[in-house]
Amino acid sequence: MGKIGIYGSSFDPVTNVHLWTASTIANRAKLDRVIFLPCANNRIDKQMKTSNNHRWNMLQMAIADNHKFEASDYEMNELAGTSKQYTWYTMEYFTEVYPNDELYFIMGADLLVEIDNQDLPIHKRWKHREKLIANHKFIVMARDGIDMLKAISKSPLLRNADDGRKFHLIDKGLQMEISSSYIRDELAAGGEPRYLLPDPCYQYIMEQGLYQRELS
């Protein structure tokens, strides 16, 4: 039986921090594989800045030389335009595909805080959260000084599901400030973020003219 982490994000574009984070998590959590899962373009809670095709191409370039990394277009293509664009359906899908492996959903501590927060706008609330927490495991990365143990203890849903194996908390050495939005902003402003993302992805962005603001 292997251990697999499901790493969902927009990857718009994929950055060196994404890759470093996935590699560090794989090492600390003893994962055999990390599956990068880019989300669909038509999500109601996120607005992508470029097409599914461009994001997929860059992701393939970025992970090509790491045998532990692979990518899935499940959310990007199979769930696009359906009413099942939620983490519960995604994890159920991978459980069916890998029935003999131990699966973890990789997320930041900010999402841990959100899972049981019913004060959020309806479109941002976690659907099927009870089933998701009851049936699946999570690797949680520290974010912005959030106390992850406190977040779990404050939520009846999380603390009652926590059996000591439900949440693998990684609370040190995973915070870096460079984000996809930072890279997009740099490109739009004529900046030079070349060394913040894999070189093939940077070259692809330049060739395709992605994220660059049109001059009026």
Side-chain angles (χ1 to χ4, degrees), residues 176-193:
M176 296 182 73
E177 298 301 322
I178 303 304
S179 64
S180 295
S181 60
Y182 180 93
I183 292 173
R184 294 195 305 266
D185 290 344
E186 282 293 296
L187 289 165
E192 176 52 275

Side-chain angles (χ1 to χ4, degrees), residues 4 23 31-32 34 38 46 50 56-57 60 79 93 112 117 124 130 133 136-137 140 154 174 185 193 200:
I4 301 174
S23 180
L31 300 180
D32 299 291
V34 176
K46 291 185 180 181
T50 192
W56 181 256
N57 288 343
Q60 292 292 329
L79 287 189
Y93 165 77
L112 183 70
N117 184 357
K124 289 189 175 183
E130 294 90 351
I133 296 299
H136 299 289
K137 297 177 181 178
V140 189
K154 286 179 64 176
L174 273 181
D185 290 344

Side-chain angles (χ1 to χ4, degrees), residues 121-157:
I122 291 178
H123 70 280
K124 289 189 175 183
R125 294 179 192 173
W126 284 63
K127 304 298 188 295
H128 312 297
R129 65 189 187 283
E130 294 90 351
K131 293 189 294 183
L132 174 66
I133 296 299
N135 292 288
H136 299 289
K137 297 177 181 178
F138 304 84
I139 294 173
V140 189
M141 303 174 285
R143 285 287 186 275
D144 301 323
I146 294 173
D147 186 326
M148 294 184 285
L149 289 175
K150 185 175 181 180
I152 292 172
S153 67
K154 286 179 64 176
S155 163
L157 173 63

Side-chain angles (χ1 to χ4, degrees), residues 48-182:
M48 304 302 123
K49 303 302 180 181
T50 192
S51 69
N52 285 348
N53 185 59
H54 285 317
R55 289 186 296 122
W56 181 256
N57 288 343
M58 288 187 283
L59 185 55
Q60 292 292 329
M61 295 174 190
I63 67 175
D65 63 351
N66 192 317
H67 72 278
K68 283 192 174 185
F69 291 171
E70 60 186 77
S72 170
D73 64 357
Y74 174 68
E75 286 195 352
M76 184 178 278
N77 291 325
E78 294 190 45
L79 287 189
T82 75
S83 61
K84 296 185 176 181
Q85 295 184 48
Y86 303 112
T87 303
W88 157 252
Y89 293 105
T90 294
M91 292 304 292
E92 286 295 290
Y93 165 77
F94 283 108
T95 298
E96 292 178 5
V97 173
Y98 302 104
N100 299 317
D101 294 300
E102 188 175 7
L103 301 182
Y104 292 83
F105 182 71
I106 298 171
M107 65 181 184
D110 52 328
L111 298 184
L112 183 70
V113 173
E114 286 184 2
I115 285 182
D116 202 23
N117 184 357
Q118 295 307 292
D119 294 327
L120 292 171
I122 291 178
H123 70 280
K124 289 189 175 183
R125 294 179 192 173
W126 284 63
K127 304 298 188 295
H128 312 297
R129 65 189 187 283
E130 294 90 351
K131 293 189 294 183
L132 174 66
I133 296 299
N135 292 288
H136 299 289
K137 297 177 181 178
F138 304 84
I139 294 173
V140 189
M141 303 174 285
R143 285 287 186 275
D144 301 323
I146 294 173
D147 186 326
M148 294 184 285
L149 289 175
K150 185 175 181 180
I152 292 172
S153 67
K154 286 179 64 176
S155 163
L157 173 63
L158 300 182
R159 68 173 180 259
N160 285 303
D162 187 10
D163 58 0
R165 301 178 68 249
K166 179 71 62 178
F167 304 104
H168 185 131
L169 307 181
I170 300 181
D171 62 353
K172 293 181 180 178
L174 273 181
Q175 290 184 293
M176 296 182 73
E177 298 301 322
I178 303 304
S179 64
S180 295
S181 60
Y182 180 93

